[in-house]
Amino acid sequence: MAWKTGVALAALLAGTDVAAQSAPAGEELAAKFGAREGVQQVSLAPDGSHIAYVVPRGTHGSAAVIADLASGHMTPLELGDGGRVTPTSCGWASASRLICKFYGIGDYGGQRISYTRLLGFDADGKNPLYLGRKTRHAERPNQFDGDVIDWRMGDGKVLMERNFVPERAELGSNLGADGRDGLGVELVDAKTGKAELVERPDRDAEGYFADGQGNIRMKIELPRQQDGQLKGDAIYSYRPTGQTKWTLFSKALRDDRQSLDPIGVDGTRNVAFATKRLDGRLALYSVALDGSMKSELVSSNAMVDVGSIVRIGRRGRIIGATYVTDRRQTDYFDPEYKKLAAALARALPRTPLIHFLGATADESKLLVFAGSDTDPGMYYLFTKATRKLDELTRARPELEGVPLGAMQAVRFPARDGTMIPAYLTLPPGGAAKHLPTIVMPHGGPASRDEWGFDWLVQFFAVRGYAVLQPEFRGSTGYGDAWFANNGFQSWELAIGDVTDAGRWLVKEGIADAKKLAIVGWSYGGYAALQSNVVDPDLFKAVVAIAPVTDLGRTKSEADGFSNRELVERQIGSGENIGKGSPARHAERFKAPVLMFHGDLDLNVGIGQSRLMDKRLRGAGKPSTLIEFPKLDHQLDDSDARAQLLSRSDAFLRKAFGG
């Protein structure tokens, strides 16, 4: 009866649709596309009896919802307040006990910091229990108090990374202070909260890898300088079979591009999977953990990086590797899942992006997601014995029936002749020439776009715009040469590719030269602004969301954090700072500027947009800044996103002359 949960969850989510029946078409579409994802994370119980969803709660924040697959009954966990803390993910410690991670933003010593907390719940939503380490007189804030690194086979106990914060002895107490400090691992009972120390805390430890068999097999250390600043190095250690002492696996020094970097351990094969560069691109190797360190190349691509793995089951078996060419591809190592993925792709030809998200303890039932560029996706429950695929719920139910624009991979020439990959999305309905057009550079800059549904792109496509997403040099995924020392230090190259994208659109007749705009978020917002410093006549309107506007200010925003020196190295110094900061060249702007920013943004401080707006206005340039109170970098609020879309659409149409 699994399909009942789709109906029940859709009904539960119906209250998040902020579109008014009488709203004009543009505002109604903005509300539909601005509504945050219908399903943000999903997890299947070990016995297949329940599913936990993380879904939007009203217009802001999220809620965890437990679905009983036999009855279809939905039970919301009403602990996230939509503001101070909100759930981000859930997993099953047993068939009757759930663990959810909550995220929040708080103040410490006048500085805003993020934090996470773990809580356990019964399958009926009752008996909540805080699972973090309780401290009364901590020497510093406990930001991230736990992460489950091994869910085991469902007996209710999990291996959890724990951040141990030293405690001061209370005045007048005969109890000594707890001096344990750093990241350790404990075996935690999700029902009682009782914990057993498995791995002693290490101040330099950044993470551990379990093997799915209940053992800690690898440790990641990030050494620090005497002042607490990260050096930028990473040391990877492992435990050979049957040993308790740590043995060096590899070192990744700050400027080393030939390191062997582990990304996962598979205890069923007693190997680690690690990336290493092959001909300038990341390839995936398996490395034996028996003490021999014997390595074998398991996946590579001549054009792009292989940078992630696919896991399945409670033990986290590694069954494949993924990389992105024009679309995301999966190189399956496991013949059963390779065959199954191919069969599902044939059965669901309109949604070729197939992902295995989870499984029961015996892997008899699987959580499957299938989507495409024009379909936000569907979640399914697949039963191996009957080969039955039951629909659970749509990823974005509010968009059902809305025609979307097809996304196609294209290439365009940069001024030096280099062919730049990009994604072009045209409006649904067939229009392809002389369109109002948007160049939309991605954030990061250490990131890239992918083929698939994108709510920001699709809103503009449905409203009649063509949208081009350039994979400018400085993007990741295309190897070392393409990364080009990142999009900040190599901003001239990256921004040159972005402006060349606009010129190509006009030359090809896709864009109306008088109706060409640029829209970007985060680094994409920086690129949108800096492109108007480089070529003020090209774009006729600029929309920048949470943008970097001054590289010097970006460096200063890292003051007080342990990665300050790493940020300074990423940004660079010298004349690059002045030339590469759009806020220092406001007088060059000819196009009107619209900016959006949340005042709790921990990634890019809102002061960046305020500075840009002040400088533009001071130079007599048209600028509008819309601030969203109590929102962070992602503007994770349906009302705010709807306003962002509708205001941007109206702004562009006005700039284009209607």
Side-chain angles (χ1 to χ4, degrees), residues 517-595:
I518 185 165
V519 176
W521 200 314
S522 194
Y523 180 88
Y526 165 79
L529 294 166
Q530 185 65 6
S531 66
N532 282 263
V533 175
V534 171
D535 190 345
D537 295 309
L538 180 62
F539 297 108
K540 310 309 178 188
V542 183
V543 177
I545 308 162
V548 169
T549 70
D550 187 281
L551 299 184
R553 191 181 185 100
T554 299
K555 292 168 69 171
S556 66
E557 286 178 357
D559 289 347
F561 292 92
S562 61
N563 66 340
R564 186 196 72 240
E565 291 187 13
L566 302 185
V567 172
E568 290 178 350
R569 284 175 59 86
Q570 179 195 28
I571 300 300
S573 57
E575 65 177 11
N576 178 67
I577 298 299
K579 289 182 177 180
S581 297
R584 304 188 189 189
H585 304 282
E587 74 285 350
R588 290 187 57 79
F589 278 69
K590 294 182 179 180
V593 174
L594 174 63
M595 291 179 288

Side-chain angles (χ1 to χ4, degrees), residues 449-485:
D449 288 310
E450 290 190 35
W451 186 87
F453 174 78
D454 185 312
W455 64 273
L456 194 60
V457 170
Q458 287 295 344
F459 168 77
F460 287 112
V462 172
R463 290 293 289 152
Y465 300 85
V467 181
L468 185 75
Q469 298 168 273
E471 306 287 11
F472 50 85
R473 281 168 284 188
S475 303
T476 53
Y478 294 93
D480 292 342
W482 199 266
F483 184 64
N485 206 26

Side-chain angles (χ1 to χ4, degrees), residues 283-608:
L284 187 68
Y285 294 80
S286 67
V287 183
L289 296 180
D290 58 4
S292 69
M293 287 285 291
K294 180 181 178 181
S295 65
E296 178 184 350
L297 176 66
V298 293
S299 184
S300 65
N301 185 278
M303 301 301 296
V304 297
D305 294 332
V306 178
S308 59
I309 52 179
V310 180
R311 294 181 178 272
I312 196 68
R314 301 286 299 183
R315 296 194 184 279
R317 246 179 351 110
I318 297 172
I319 60 171
T322 70
Y323 53 89
V324 184
T325 52
D326 289 344
R327 299 185 184 184
R328 180 164 290 276
Q329 311 286 333
T330 302
D331 184 4
Y332 285 100
F333 315 142
D334 185 289
E336 178 192 2
Y337 283 94
K338 181 177 182 178
K339 183 178 179 180
L340 179 56
L344 289 172
R346 289 192 298 270
L348 304 167
R350 295 183 179 180
T351 50
L353 295 179
I354 307 292
H355 302 295
F356 298 111
L357 302 180
T360 53
D362 60 3
E363 294 185 33
S364 63
K365 294 184 178 181
L366 307 174
L367 272 177
V368 178
F369 172 84
S372 75
D373 56 339
T374 57
D375 188 331
M378 174 73 77
Y379 292 89
Y380 298 92
L381 183 67
F382 179 75
T383 304
K384 288 184 178 179
T386 61
R387 301 192 67 80
K388 186 179 181 183
L389 192 66
D390 287 324
E391 293 183 359
L392 293 172
T393 187
R394 293 191 174 279
R396 295 289 299 265
E398 70 278 1
L399 293 179
E400 188 172 4
V402 177
L404 302 179
M407 176 186 286
Q408 58 180 310
V410 297
R411 301 286 190 276
F412 66 87
R415 66 195 67 187
D416 62 3
T418 302
M419 297 303 293
I420 310 297
Y423 294 101
L424 176 64
T425 303
L426 297 175
K433 294 292 183 180
H434 308 296
L435 298 168
T437 302
I438 294 169
V439 174
M440 189 179 289
H442 61 70
S447 183
R448 60 155 296 163
D449 288 310
E450 290 190 35
W451 186 87
F453 174 78
D454 185 312
W455 64 273
L456 194 60
V457 170
Q458 287 295 344
F459 168 77
F460 287 112
V462 172
R463 290 293 289 152
Y465 300 85
V467 181
L468 185 75
Q469 298 168 273
E471 306 287 11
F472 50 85
R473 281 168 284 188
S475 303
T476 53
Y478 294 93
D480 292 342
W482 199 266
F483 184 64
N485 206 26
N486 87 61
F488 283 120
Q489 289 197 39
S490 303
W491 68 263
E492 290 177 286
L493 188 61
I495 303 305
D497 290 347
V498 171
T499 55
D500 285 342
R503 281 185 279 272
W504 175 78
L505 287 162
V506 173
K507 181 180 178 182
E508 291 296 307
I510 297 168
D512 180 338
K514 297 180 180 179
K515 297 183 178 181
L516 180 65
I518 185 165
V519 176
W521 200 314
S522 194
Y523 180 88
Y526 165 79
L529 294 166
Q530 185 65 6
S531 66
N532 282 263
V533 175
V534 171
D535 190 345
D537 295 309
L538 180 62
F539 297 108
K540 310 309 178 188
V542 183
V543 177
I545 308 162
V548 169
T549 70
D550 187 281
L551 299 184
R553 191 181 185 100
T554 299
K555 292 168 69 171
S556 66
E557 286 178 357
D559 289 347
F561 292 92
S562 61
N563 66 340
R564 186 196 72 240
E565 291 187 13
L566 302 185
V567 172
E568 290 178 350
R569 284 175 59 86
Q570 179 195 28
I571 300 300
S573 57
E575 65 177 11
N576 178 67
I577 298 299
K579 289 182 177 180
S581 297
R584 304 188 189 189
H585 304 282
E587 74 285 350
R588 290 187 57 79
F589 278 69
K590 294 182 179 180
V593 174
L594 174 63
M595 291 179 288
F596 300 89
H597 218 127
D599 68 1
L600 287 184
D601 194 327
L602 300 183
N603 295 59
V604 180
I606 194 172
Q608 299 255 7

Side-chain angles (χ1 to χ4, degrees), residues 148-205:
V148 177
I149 59 173
D150 192 335
W151 291 94
R152 296 165 37 103
M153 291 306 290
D155 64 356
K157 294 182 179 181
V158 298
L159 284 176
M160 190 183 297
E161 287 180 344
R162 309 291 286 270
N163 187 19
F164 288 75
V165 179
E167 291 191 58
R168 301 182 300 273
E170 189 175 358
L171 187 64
S173 171
N174 60 357
L175 298 177
D178 185 345
R180 291 182 294 183
D181 190 3
L183 193 69
V185 180
E186 290 185 316
L187 181 65
V188 180
D189 189 316
K191 186 75 173 180
T192 65
K194 292 183 179 179
E196 174 187 343
L197 187 65
V198 173
E199 197 66 46
R200 294 185 61 82
D202 183 336
R203 283 207 66 179
D204 286 337

